[in-house]
Amino acid sequence: MMLAAYFGGPVSALAELAVVYIGRFLKEGAIGYVQMAIGITAALGTGLFYRYCRG
């Protein structure tokens, strides 16, 4: 996720998270709402961090 966020920003991090969630859904079944919220928050936070603090 961090590499995707570094190169593409928040949009790329969310796209990578979607791919991970699709794979996890196909393998394990349902995904909890809390887990989904934590993942989306992490993807947006990491993407915004690399967008504004790349130095």
Side-chain angles (χ1 to χ4, degrees):
M1 180 182 307
M2 293 181 76
L3 188 62
Y6 181 77
F7 286 118
V11 175
S12 179
L14 287 173
E16 185 268 339
L17 183 68
V19 169
V20 168
Y21 279 166
I22 290 171
R24 189 173 290 168
F25 181 75
L26 291 174
K27 186 175 180 181
E28 298 176 7
I31 300 170
Y33 292 115
V34 174
Q35 181 182 7
M36 195 174 298
I38 291 171
I40 291 170
T41 304
L44 285 175
T46 306
L48 290 174
F49 174 77
Y50 280 123
R51 182 175 181 185
Y52 293 114
C53 298
R54 187 183 303 183

